[in-house]
Amino acid sequence: MLATSRKAMMRKTGAILPSQSEPLMRPMIVIGIPGDKRTSGIQQARSDLGMPPAIILSYAEFLQGRSLGDLMEEHKKQLSRQSSVYNGVDLSAAPPLLRLESPGSSFEIERALIALGAPDSDDIDDTLHPFADRPDPRPLRVKVAHQLKEMQGILHHPSQWFRGYCRMLARLQREAKTACPGSLWLNDPTDIAAMTDKRQTQQILSEAGIPIPRPVGEDQQPTDYDSLREMMLSRRMHRVFIKLAFGSAASGVIAYQIHPVTGAEIALTTVGVEDYITRPPIYYNSGKLRRYTDTATISGIINWIYQHGAYAEQWIPKAGLKGKAFDIRQLVVLREACHAVARVSPTPITNLHLRNQRISLSEAGLSEPIQEQVRNTAVQALAAFPRSGVAGIDVLVSGGSQQCFVADVNPFGDLLYDVKYRGCNTYEWEMKVLSARDYITPPSIPLIKEGLS
């Protein structure tokens, strides 16, 4: 009877909360950077909870041509030396839960992904690229990409990097089916590719009815500086945010405004420019905000971002605290909103990489009804990506109407410091939840408990 009801529930929800008498657990395999803050945080959390360590597979080795099957075989020795029993269950017999971590700031990995995205790459599977038919500007061939040198902050080739990233995701997805039969993804590579491209993210959210800032050109997005200004003026949208479609850590973000009468313009951005006489300028992430007012510089930056892929949206004034603006990073884990921080800044750009302040939502002055609205909005946003279980949702609360809007969905948005939920940090909470729940098929509706209809 129990087995019958369990099968019926799997068909209904795609995920279940197992009973204590029959726990469902899987070993965890993480594809990431061994020893970085993310993989170390996962291992520490599992150790503190008495769970077997996760197997960490290296991005770098996979990008060097090692197959997922080879890497798995190599790590079977690790399993044999360590206990795989948790709560009386032998995890070595279960198919794994696969977790893909952020490629981080490793230049070695960045360069390998740019090479993988080259037009002469051996792997040209662009099935996960949301805009694969749009050519990359001045693409680098594999040999040239491998010769790139690390230069602090330099944005070498964002669109080719993203093409390589999508090809890597597609390869992981293919090889996992053979190397790890019955395995499940915590966040599916298809969803990760969509979340990493802001154009695709906002389109998915909009189609799901999630409130987002109004895009510039809802039917047809701008393609360069001139078309952006034309659309802004024709729609009386004089303040916008322009974002590099696959940027992170405030890289490639511009808070841009035009005076409706004089046409004067101001751009606040982290993008720095080095101009040369005989070759194109170099654009880089300066790590701090710069203010530009001259048309030549502003148009150059905006055109460069649009060449690689950009998304522009209405600039909604954020809620404020003592003259500073803030938005919220809300973590969602398996349909539950948990850890949250308000990111406070004297500027319109609130990313914590710019050394902005982090405080609790209560310290930001948000009432409990508004906090609940933030949580509900974030949960609904992640539900728009039905094959994924964890993401950091960037939610802004408008300063006037107090309405919530989703600005971004980050599949790796759980690296939050000094914030607890029910006594747990982010990784501890995720491991606790995953020890009680298990994906069976991609979830389509919210989780329900056994015995409830």
Side-chain angles (χ1 to χ4, degrees), residues 54-90:
I55 295 174
I56 310 296
L57 303 184
S58 167
Y59 261 124
E61 291 184 358
F62 185 74
L63 288 167
Q64 288 165 5
R66 299 283 303 278
S67 72
L68 191 60
D70 287 345
L71 293 173
M72 285 287 299
E73 192 66 31
E74 187 175 291
H75 282 78
K76 281 184 179 178
K77 296 178 181 178
Q78 175 183 335
L79 277 178
S80 65
R81 293 194 301 266
Q82 298 169 344
S83 172
S84 59
V85 176
Y86 178 67
N87 280 355
V89 180
D90 185 0

PDB file of all heavy atoms in Angstrom, residues 54-90:
ATOM      1  N   ALA A  54      30.935  14.750   0.155  1.00  0.00           N
ATOM      2  CA  ALA A  54      30.599  14.727  -1.263  1.00  0.00           C
ATOM      3  C   ALA A  54      31.844  14.388  -2.069  1.00  0.00           C
ATOM      4  O   ALA A  54      32.972  14.607  -1.619  1.00  0.00           O
ATOM      5  CB  ALA A  54      30.055  16.091  -1.687  1.00  0.00           C
ATOM      6  N   ILE A  55      31.627  13.831  -3.243  1.00  0.00           N
ATOM      7  CA  ILE A  55      32.738  13.635  -4.183  1.00  0.00           C
ATOM      8  C   ILE A  55      32.881  14.912  -4.994  1.00  0.00           C
ATOM      9  O   ILE A  55      31.899  15.390  -5.579  1.00  0.00           O
ATOM     10  CB  ILE A  55      32.450  12.446  -5.116  1.00  0.00           C
ATOM     11  CG1 ILE A  55      32.388  11.150  -4.308  1.00  0.00           C
ATOM     12  CG2 ILE A  55      33.509  12.343  -6.202  1.00  0.00           C
ATOM     13  CD1 ILE A  55      31.978   9.951  -5.126  1.00  0.00           C
ATOM     14  N   ILE A  56      34.052  15.504  -5.002  1.00  0.00           N
ATOM     15  CA  ILE A  56      34.291  16.750  -5.728  1.00  0.00           C
ATOM     16  C   ILE A  56      35.032  16.433  -7.022  1.00  0.00           C
ATOM     17  O   ILE A  56      36.162  15.935  -6.994  1.00  0.00           O
ATOM     18  CB  ILE A  56      35.113  17.757  -4.888  1.00  0.00           C
ATOM     19  CG1 ILE A  56      34.501  17.922  -3.486  1.00  0.00           C
ATOM     20  CG2 ILE A  56      35.194  19.086  -5.621  1.00  0.00           C
ATOM     21  CD1 ILE A  56      33.114  18.509  -3.463  1.00  0.00           C
ATOM     22  N   LEU A  57      34.394  16.698  -8.139  1.00  0.00           N
ATOM     23  CA  LEU A  57      35.030  16.537  -9.445  1.00  0.00           C
ATOM     24  C   LEU A  57      35.458  17.901  -9.957  1.00  0.00           C
ATOM     25  O   LEU A  57      34.723  18.881  -9.826  1.00  0.00           O
ATOM     26  CB  LEU A  57      34.060  15.877 -10.434  1.00  0.00           C
ATOM     27  CG  LEU A  57      33.486  14.517 -10.014  1.00  0.00           C
ATOM     28  CD1 LEU A  57      32.612  13.950 -11.133  1.00  0.00           C
ATOM     29  CD2 LEU A  57      34.591  13.538  -9.658  1.00  0.00           C
ATOM     30  N   SER A  58      36.629  17.953 -10.549  1.00  0.00           N
ATOM     31  CA  SER A  58      37.245  19.222 -10.917  1.00  0.00           C
ATOM     32  C   SER A  58      36.773  19.723 -12.283  1.00  0.00           C
ATOM     33  O   SER A  58      36.846  19.006 -13.277  1.00  0.00           O
ATOM     34  CB  SER A  58      38.769  19.068 -10.920  1.00  0.00           C
ATOM     35  OG  SER A  58      39.395  20.157 -11.555  1.00  0.00           O
ATOM     36  N   TYR A  59      36.301  20.968 -12.306  1.00  0.00           N
ATOM     37  CA  TYR A  59      36.008  21.648 -13.572  1.00  0.00           C
ATOM     38  C   TYR A  59      37.218  21.576 -14.508  1.00  0.00           C
ATOM     39  O   TYR A  59      37.097  21.273 -15.698  1.00  0.00           O
ATOM     40  CB  TYR A  59      35.743  23.130 -13.315  1.00  0.00           C
ATOM     41  CG  TYR A  59      34.306  23.552 -13.252  1.00  0.00           C
ATOM     42  CD1 TYR A  59      33.829  24.215 -12.123  1.00  0.00           C
ATOM     43  CD2 TYR A  59      33.430  23.350 -14.310  1.00  0.00           C
ATOM     44  CE1 TYR A  59      32.511  24.637 -12.053  1.00  0.00           C
ATOM     45  CE2 TYR A  59      32.123  23.771 -14.246  1.00  0.00           C
ATOM     46  CZ  TYR A  59      31.662  24.421 -13.113  1.00  0.00           C
ATOM     47  OH  TYR A  59      30.367  24.843 -13.043  1.00  0.00           O
ATOM     48  N   ALA A  60      38.383  21.903 -13.947  1.00  0.00           N
ATOM     49  CA  ALA A  60      39.589  22.007 -14.776  1.00  0.00           C
ATOM     50  C   ALA A  60      39.882  20.684 -15.469  1.00  0.00           C
ATOM     51  O   ALA A  60      40.185  20.653 -16.672  1.00  0.00           O
ATOM     52  CB  ALA A  60      40.778  22.446 -13.917  1.00  0.00           C
ATOM     53  N   GLU A  61      39.794  19.576 -14.748  1.00  0.00           N
ATOM     54  CA  GLU A  61      40.082  18.274 -15.345  1.00  0.00           C
ATOM     55  C   GLU A  61      39.050  17.922 -16.410  1.00  0.00           C
ATOM     56  O   GLU A  61      39.387  17.358 -17.456  1.00  0.00           O
ATOM     57  CB  GLU A  61      40.135  17.203 -14.262  1.00  0.00           C
ATOM     58  CG  GLU A  61      41.326  17.341 -13.332  1.00  0.00           C
ATOM     59  CD  GLU A  61      41.408  16.209 -12.331  1.00  0.00           C
ATOM     60  OE1 GLU A  61      40.511  15.329 -12.338  1.00  0.00           O
ATOM     61  OE2 GLU A  61      42.360  16.189 -11.534  1.00  0.00           O
ATOM     62  N   PHE A  62      37.795  18.246 -16.153  1.00  0.00           N
ATOM     63  CA  PHE A  62      36.750  17.964 -17.145  1.00  0.00           C
ATOM     64  C   PHE A  62      36.991  18.775 -18.417  1.00  0.00           C
ATOM     65  O   PHE A  62      36.857  18.262 -19.531  1.00  0.00           O
ATOM     66  CB  PHE A  62      35.380  18.287 -16.547  1.00  0.00           C
ATOM     67  CG  PHE A  62      34.225  17.914 -17.434  1.00  0.00           C
ATOM     68  CD1 PHE A  62      33.852  16.586 -17.596  1.00  0.00           C
ATOM     69  CD2 PHE A  62      33.510  18.889 -18.102  1.00  0.00           C
ATOM     70  CE1 PHE A  62      32.783  16.238 -18.414  1.00  0.00           C
ATOM     71  CE2 PHE A  62      32.448  18.557 -18.919  1.00  0.00           C
ATOM     72  CZ  PHE A  62      32.082  17.222 -19.072  1.00  0.00           C
ATOM     73  N   LEU A  63      37.384  20.037 -18.265  1.00  0.00           N
ATOM     74  CA  LEU A  63      37.631  20.886 -19.426  1.00  0.00           C
ATOM     75  C   LEU A  63      38.928  20.527 -20.147  1.00  0.00           C
ATOM     76  O   LEU A  63      39.121  20.912 -21.302  1.00  0.00           O
ATOM     77  CB  LEU A  63      37.657  22.357 -18.990  1.00  0.00           C
ATOM     78  CG  LEU A  63      36.289  22.934 -18.615  1.00  0.00           C
ATOM     79  CD1 LEU A  63      36.440  24.275 -17.906  1.00  0.00           C
ATOM     80  CD2 LEU A  63      35.401  23.082 -19.845  1.00  0.00           C
ATOM     81  N   GLN A  64      39.790  19.782 -19.480  1.00  0.00           N
ATOM     82  CA  GLN A  64      41.005  19.297 -20.141  1.00  0.00           C
ATOM     83  C   GLN A  64      40.739  18.064 -20.996  1.00  0.00           C
ATOM     84  O   GLN A  64      41.640  17.551 -21.654  1.00  0.00           O
ATOM     85  CB  GLN A  64      42.076  18.976 -19.094  1.00  0.00           C
ATOM     86  CG  GLN A  64      42.694  20.210 -18.447  1.00  0.00           C
ATOM     87  CD  GLN A  64      43.478  19.889 -17.192  1.00  0.00           C
ATOM     88  OE1 GLN A  64      43.643  18.709 -16.833  1.00  0.00           O
ATOM     89  NE2 GLN A  64      43.956  20.916 -16.510  1.00  0.00           N
ATOM     90  N   GLY A  65      39.497  17.598 -21.004  1.00  0.00           N
ATOM     91  CA  GLY A  65      39.138  16.472 -21.856  1.00  0.00           C
ATOM     92  C   GLY A  65      38.816  15.188 -21.122  1.00  0.00           C
ATOM     93  O   GLY A  65      38.399  14.211 -21.754  1.00  0.00           O
ATOM     94  N   ARG A  66      39.008  15.175 -19.791  1.00  0.00           N
ATOM     95  CA  ARG A  66      38.655  13.973 -19.034  1.00  0.00           C
ATOM     96  C   ARG A  66      37.142  13.781 -19.073  1.00  0.00           C
ATOM     97  O   ARG A  66      36.386  14.734 -18.922  1.00  0.00           O
ATOM     98  CB  ARG A  66      39.098  14.116 -17.575  1.00  0.00           C
ATOM     99  CG  ARG A  66      40.597  14.292 -17.362  1.00  0.00           C
ATOM    100  CD  ARG A  66      41.345  12.993 -17.494  1.00  0.00           C
ATOM    101  NE  ARG A  66      40.854  11.973 -16.571  1.00  0.00           N
ATOM    102  CZ  ARG A  66      41.210  11.875 -15.285  1.00  0.00           C
ATOM    103  NH1 ARG A  66      42.059  12.767 -14.766  1.00  0.00           N
ATOM    104  NH2 ARG A  66      40.747  10.896 -14.532  1.00  0.00           N
ATOM    105  N   SER A  67      36.690  12.563 -19.262  1.00  0.00           N
ATOM    106  CA  SER A  67      35.255  12.309 -19.296  1.00  0.00           C
ATOM    107  C   SER A  67      34.708  12.227 -17.882  1.00  0.00           C
ATOM    108  O   SER A  67      35.446  11.947 -16.918  1.00  0.00           O
ATOM    109  CB  SER A  67      34.944  11.008 -20.036  1.00  0.00           C
ATOM    110  OG  SER A  67      35.330   9.886 -19.260  1.00  0.00           O
ATOM    111  N   LEU A  68      33.414  12.457 -17.748  1.00  0.00           N
ATOM    112  CA  LEU A  68      32.778  12.351 -16.443  1.00  0.00           C
ATOM    113  C   LEU A  68      32.908  10.925 -15.911  1.00  0.00           C
ATOM    114  O   LEU A  68      33.137  10.713 -14.720  1.00  0.00           O
ATOM    115  CB  LEU A  68      31.303  12.748 -16.553  1.00  0.00           C
ATOM    116  CG  LEU A  68      30.532  12.938 -15.240  1.00  0.00           C
ATOM    117  CD1 LEU A  68      31.155  14.022 -14.388  1.00  0.00           C
ATOM    118  CD2 LEU A  68      29.067  13.273 -15.536  1.00  0.00           C
ATOM    119  N   GLY A  69      32.801   9.941 -16.819  1.00  0.00           N
ATOM    120  CA  GLY A  69      32.955   8.549 -16.404  1.00  0.00           C
ATOM    121  C   GLY A  69      34.336   8.259 -15.853  1.00  0.00           C
ATOM    122  O   GLY A  69      34.480   7.563 -14.834  1.00  0.00           O
ATOM    123  N   ASP A  70      35.380   8.785 -16.504  1.00  0.00           N
ATOM    124  CA  ASP A  70      36.747   8.580 -16.022  1.00  0.00           C
ATOM    125  C   ASP A  70      36.950   9.206 -14.641  1.00  0.00           C
ATOM    126  O   ASP A  70      37.568   8.613 -13.752  1.00  0.00           O
ATOM    127  CB  ASP A  70      37.756   9.176 -17.006  1.00  0.00           C
ATOM    128  CG  ASP A  70      37.891   8.345 -18.275  1.00  0.00           C
ATOM    129  OD1 ASP A  70      37.439   7.186 -18.267  1.00  0.00           O
ATOM    130  OD2 ASP A  70      38.430   8.867 -19.277  1.00  0.00           O
ATOM    131  N   LEU A  71      36.446  10.424 -14.480  1.00  0.00           N
ATOM    132  CA  LEU A  71      36.588  11.100 -13.192  1.00  0.00           C
ATOM    133  C   LEU A  71      35.830  10.354 -12.100  1.00  0.00           C
ATOM    134  O   LEU A  71      36.306  10.248 -10.963  1.00  0.00           O
ATOM    135  CB  LEU A  71      36.089  12.545 -13.303  1.00  0.00           C
ATOM    136  CG  LEU A  71      36.918  13.475 -14.194  1.00  0.00           C
ATOM    137  CD1 LEU A  71      36.227  14.822 -14.352  1.00  0.00           C
ATOM    138  CD2 LEU A  71      38.315  13.678 -13.613  1.00  0.00           C
ATOM    139  N   MET A  72      34.660   9.834 -12.440  1.00  0.00           N
ATOM    140  CA  MET A  72      33.891   9.057 -11.475  1.00  0.00           C
ATOM    141  C   MET A  72      34.653   7.800 -11.066  1.00  0.00           C
ATOM    142  O   MET A  72      34.736   7.446  -9.884  1.00  0.00           O
ATOM    143  CB  MET A  72      32.551   8.673 -12.089  1.00  0.00           C
ATOM    144  CG  MET A  72      31.544   9.808 -12.172  1.00  0.00           C
ATOM    145  SD  MET A  72      30.898  10.210 -10.553  1.00  0.00           S
ATOM    146  CE  MET A  72      30.150   8.653 -10.118  1.00  0.00           C
ATOM    147  N   GLU A  73      35.216   7.101 -12.044  1.00  0.00           N
ATOM    148  CA  GLU A  73      35.944   5.866 -11.762  1.00  0.00           C
ATOM    149  C   GLU A  73      37.127   6.134 -10.846  1.00  0.00           C
ATOM    150  O   GLU A  73      37.418   5.356  -9.922  1.00  0.00           O
ATOM    151  CB  GLU A  73      36.430   5.254 -13.081  1.00  0.00           C
ATOM    152  CG  GLU A  73      36.940   3.831 -12.967  1.00  0.00           C
ATOM    153  CD  GLU A  73      35.851   2.843 -12.597  1.00  0.00           C
ATOM    154  OE1 GLU A  73      34.686   3.070 -12.982  1.00  0.00           O
ATOM    155  OE2 GLU A  73      36.172   1.850 -11.924  1.00  0.00           O
ATOM    156  N   GLU A  74      37.800   7.253 -11.082  1.00  0.00           N
ATOM    157  CA  GLU A  74      38.964   7.610 -10.273  1.00  0.00           C
ATOM    158  C   GLU A  74      38.577   7.843  -8.825  1.00  0.00           C
ATOM    159  O   GLU A  74      39.341   7.547  -7.897  1.00  0.00           O
ATOM    160  CB  GLU A  74      39.613   8.866 -10.856  1.00  0.00           C
ATOM    161  CG  GLU A  74      40.913   9.260 -10.218  1.00  0.00           C
ATOM    162  CD  GLU A  74      41.543  10.445 -10.922  1.00  0.00           C
ATOM    163  OE1 GLU A  74      41.985  10.282 -12.085  1.00  0.00           O
ATOM    164  OE2 GLU A  74      41.560  11.528 -10.324  1.00  0.00           O
ATOM    165  N   HIS A  75      37.354   8.363  -8.621  1.00  0.00           N
ATOM    166  CA  HIS A  75      36.942   8.699  -7.262  1.00  0.00           C
ATOM    167  C   HIS A  75      36.231   7.554  -6.552  1.00  0.00           C
ATOM    168  O   HIS A  75      35.849   7.687  -5.392  1.00  0.00           O
ATOM    169  CB  HIS A  75      36.051   9.934  -7.273  1.00  0.00           C
ATOM    170  CG  HIS A  75      36.810  11.214  -7.439  1.00  0.00           C
ATOM    171  ND1 HIS A  75      37.281  11.644  -8.658  1.00  0.00           N
ATOM    172  CD2 HIS A  75      37.210  12.148  -6.530  1.00  0.00           C
ATOM    173  CE1 HIS A  75      37.928  12.796  -8.497  1.00  0.00           C
ATOM    174  NE2 HIS A  75      37.907  13.110  -7.225  1.00  0.00           N
ATOM    175  N   LYS A  76      36.053   6.438  -7.246  1.00  0.00           N
ATOM    176  CA  LYS A  76      35.464   5.289  -6.561  1.00  0.00           C
ATOM    177  C   LYS A  76      36.365   4.798  -5.436  1.00  0.00           C
ATOM    178  O   LYS A  76      35.908   4.279  -4.425  1.00  0.00           O
ATOM    179  CB  LYS A  76      35.202   4.161  -7.562  1.00  0.00           C
ATOM    180  CG  LYS A  76      33.938   4.380  -8.398  1.00  0.00           C
ATOM    181  CD  LYS A  76      33.669   3.198  -9.306  1.00  0.00           C
ATOM    182  CE  LYS A  76      32.390   3.426 -10.114  1.00  0.00           C
ATOM    183  NZ  LYS A  76      32.127   2.305 -11.049  1.00  0.00           N
ATOM    184  N   LYS A  77      37.681   4.969  -5.602  1.00  0.00           N
ATOM    185  CA  LYS A  77      38.611   4.594  -4.546  1.00  0.00           C
ATOM    186  C   LYS A  77      38.362   5.423  -3.289  1.00  0.00           C
ATOM    187  O   LYS A  77      38.462   4.929  -2.171  1.00  0.00           O
ATOM    188  CB  LYS A  77      40.050   4.795  -5.030  1.00  0.00           C
ATOM    189  CG  LYS A  77      40.438   3.892  -6.198  1.00  0.00           C
ATOM    190  CD  LYS A  77      41.858   4.180  -6.643  1.00  0.00           C
ATOM    191  CE  LYS A  77      42.246   3.301  -7.829  1.00  0.00           C
ATOM    192  NZ  LYS A  77      43.621   3.612  -8.315  1.00  0.00           N
ATOM    193  N   GLN A  78      38.023   6.696  -3.508  1.00  0.00           N
ATOM    194  CA  GLN A  78      37.720   7.561  -2.370  1.00  0.00           C
ATOM    195  C   GLN A  78      36.517   7.019  -1.612  1.00  0.00           C
ATOM    196  O   GLN A  78      36.502   6.985  -0.384  1.00  0.00           O
ATOM    197  CB  GLN A  78      37.432   8.985  -2.862  1.00  0.00           C
ATOM    198  CG  GLN A  78      36.992   9.952  -1.771  1.00  0.00           C
ATOM    199  CD  GLN A  78      36.651  11.317  -2.344  1.00  0.00           C
ATOM    200  OE1 GLN A  78      37.122  11.712  -3.398  1.00  0.00           O
ATOM    201  NE2 GLN A  78      35.795  12.039  -1.637  1.00  0.00           N
ATOM    202  N   LEU A  79      35.508   6.579  -2.338  1.00  0.00           N
ATOM    203  CA  LEU A  79      34.319   6.019  -1.697  1.00  0.00           C
ATOM    204  C   LEU A  79      34.658   4.768  -0.892  1.00  0.00           C
ATOM    205  O   LEU A  79      34.124   4.551   0.196  1.00  0.00           O
ATOM    206  CB  LEU A  79      33.264   5.677  -2.759  1.00  0.00           C
ATOM    207  CG  LEU A  79      32.359   6.810  -3.249  1.00  0.00           C
ATOM    208  CD1 LEU A  79      31.430   6.290  -4.332  1.00  0.00           C
ATOM    209  CD2 LEU A  79      31.552   7.392  -2.099  1.00  0.00           C
ATOM    210  N   SER A  80      35.522   3.940  -1.449  1.00  0.00           N
ATOM    211  CA  SER A  80      35.834   2.676  -0.789  1.00  0.00           C
ATOM    212  C   SER A  80      36.586   2.880   0.522  1.00  0.00           C
ATOM    213  O   SER A  80      36.541   2.027   1.411  1.00  0.00           O
ATOM    214  CB  SER A  80      36.655   1.783  -1.728  1.00  0.00           C
ATOM    215  OG  SER A  80      37.922   2.367  -1.989  1.00  0.00           O
ATOM    216  N   ARG A  81      37.277   4.015   0.663  1.00  0.00           N
ATOM    217  CA  ARG A  81      38.047   4.275   1.881  1.00  0.00           C
ATOM    218  C   ARG A  81      37.226   4.962   2.962  1.00  0.00           C
ATOM    219  O   ARG A  81      37.669   5.110   4.080  1.00  0.00           O
ATOM    220  CB  ARG A  81      39.276   5.144   1.554  1.00  0.00           C
ATOM    221  CG  ARG A  81      40.314   4.465   0.693  1.00  0.00           C
ATOM    222  CD  ARG A  81      41.615   5.251   0.716  1.00  0.00           C
ATOM    223  NE  ARG A  81      41.442   6.609   0.233  1.00  0.00           N
ATOM    224  CZ  ARG A  81      41.645   6.973  -1.035  1.00  0.00           C
ATOM    225  NH1 ARG A  81      41.990   6.065  -1.933  1.00  0.00           N
ATOM    226  NH2 ARG A  81      41.487   8.220  -1.407  1.00  0.00           N
ATOM    227  N   GLN A  82      36.029   5.427   2.614  1.00  0.00           N
ATOM    228  CA  GLN A  82      35.232   6.205   3.560  1.00  0.00           C
ATOM    229  C   GLN A  82      33.887   5.524   3.778  1.00  0.00           C
ATOM    230  O   GLN A  82      33.367   4.837   2.905  1.00  0.00           O
ATOM    231  CB  GLN A  82      35.020   7.632   3.031  1.00  0.00           C
ATOM    232  CG  GLN A  82      36.310   8.404   2.868  1.00  0.00           C
ATOM    233  CD  GLN A  82      36.094   9.697   2.092  1.00  0.00           C
ATOM    234  OE1 GLN A  82      35.079   9.868   1.441  1.00  0.00           O
ATOM    235  NE2 GLN A  82      37.051  10.598   2.162  1.00  0.00           N
ATOM    236  N   SER A  83      33.331   5.746   4.929  1.00  0.00           N
ATOM    237  CA  SER A  83      32.002   5.197   5.212  1.00  0.00           C
ATOM    238  C   SER A  83      30.969   5.880   4.331  1.00  0.00           C
ATOM    239  O   SER A  83      30.959   7.108   4.192  1.00  0.00           O
ATOM    240  CB  SER A  83      31.657   5.416   6.689  1.00  0.00           C
ATOM    241  OG  SER A  83      30.317   5.048   6.932  1.00  0.00           O
ATOM    242  N   SER A  84      30.114   5.087   3.739  1.00  0.00           N
ATOM    243  CA  SER A  84      29.049   5.636   2.900  1.00  0.00           C
ATOM    244  C   SER A  84      27.684   5.431   3.543  1.00  0.00           C
ATOM    245  O   SER A  84      26.655   5.545   2.886  1.00  0.00           O
ATOM    246  CB  SER A  84      29.074   4.976   1.516  1.00  0.00           C
ATOM    247  OG  SER A  84      28.903   3.582   1.641  1.00  0.00           O
ATOM    248  N   VAL A  85      27.688   5.125   4.841  1.00  0.00           N
ATOM    249  CA  VAL A  85      26.431   4.867   5.544  1.00  0.00           C
ATOM    250  C   VAL A  85      25.987   6.132   6.270  1.00  0.00           C
ATOM    251  O   VAL A  85      26.764   6.774   6.969  1.00  0.00           O
ATOM    252  CB  VAL A  85      26.597   3.708   6.540  1.00  0.00           C
ATOM    253  CG1 VAL A  85      25.316   3.499   7.336  1.00  0.00           C
ATOM    254  CG2 VAL A  85      26.974   2.431   5.802  1.00  0.00           C
ATOM    255  N   TYR A  86      24.713   6.487   6.064  1.00  0.00           N
ATOM    256  CA  TYR A  86      24.145   7.642   6.751  1.00  0.00           C
ATOM    257  C   TYR A  86      22.746   7.267   7.212  1.00  0.00           C
ATOM    258  O   TYR A  86      21.911   6.808   6.426  1.00  0.00           O
ATOM    259  CB  TYR A  86      24.073   8.853   5.820  1.00  0.00           C
ATOM    260  CG  TYR A  86      23.446  10.069   6.465  1.00  0.00           C
ATOM    261  CD1 TYR A  86      24.082  10.726   7.511  1.00  0.00           C
ATOM    262  CD2 TYR A  86      22.210  10.554   6.028  1.00  0.00           C
ATOM    263  CE1 TYR A  86      23.523  11.841   8.103  1.00  0.00           C
ATOM    264  CE2 TYR A  86      21.645  11.672   6.619  1.00  0.00           C
ATOM    265  CZ  TYR A  86      22.300  12.315   7.653  1.00  0.00           C
ATOM    266  OH  TYR A  86      21.738  13.414   8.245  1.00  0.00           O
ATOM    267  N   ASN A  87      22.498   7.433   8.515  1.00  0.00           N
ATOM    268  CA  ASN A  87      21.203   7.058   9.107  1.00  0.00           C
ATOM    269  C   ASN A  87      20.833   5.611   8.771  1.00  0.00           C
ATOM    270  O   ASN A  87      19.680   5.282   8.486  1.00  0.00           O
ATOM    271  CB  ASN A  87      20.093   7.995   8.618  1.00  0.00           C
ATOM    272  CG  ASN A  87      20.106   9.313   9.373  1.00  0.00           C
ATOM    273  OD1 ASN A  87      20.879   9.481  10.322  1.00  0.00           O
ATOM    274  ND2 ASN A  87      19.264  10.243   8.965  1.00  0.00           N
ATOM    275  N   GLY A  88      21.858   4.747   8.762  1.00  0.00           N
ATOM    276  CA  GLY A  88      21.607   3.342   8.509  1.00  0.00           C
ATOM    277  C   GLY A  88      21.425   2.971   7.053  1.00  0.00           C
ATOM    278  O   GLY A  88      21.122   1.819   6.730  1.00  0.00           O
ATOM    279  N   VAL A  89      21.614   3.922   6.142  1.00  0.00           N
ATOM    280  CA  VAL A  89      21.422   3.672   4.713  1.00  0.00           C
ATOM    281  C   VAL A  89      22.778   3.690   4.011  1.00  0.00           C
ATOM    282  O   VAL A  89      23.575   4.613   4.200  1.00  0.00           O
ATOM    283  CB  VAL A  89      20.489   4.735   4.084  1.00  0.00           C
ATOM    284  CG1 VAL A  89      20.306   4.469   2.590  1.00  0.00           C
ATOM    285  CG2 VAL A  89      19.150   4.754   4.788  1.00  0.00           C
ATOM    286  N   ASP A  90      23.046   2.672   3.196  1.00  0.00           N
ATOM    287  CA  ASP A  90      24.285   2.607   2.417  1.00  0.00           C
ATOM    288  C   ASP A  90      24.094   3.424   1.141  1.00  0.00           C
ATOM    289  O   ASP A  90      23.390   3.011   0.221  1.00  0.00           O
ATOM    290  CB  ASP A  90      24.620   1.160   2.083  1.00  0.00           C
ATOM    291  CG  ASP A  90      25.980   1.042   1.373  1.00  0.00           C
ATOM    292  OD1 ASP A  90      26.621   2.087   1.166  1.00  0.00           O
ATOM    293  OD2 ASP A  90      26.367  -0.079   1.040  1.00  0.00           O
TER     294      ASP A  90
END
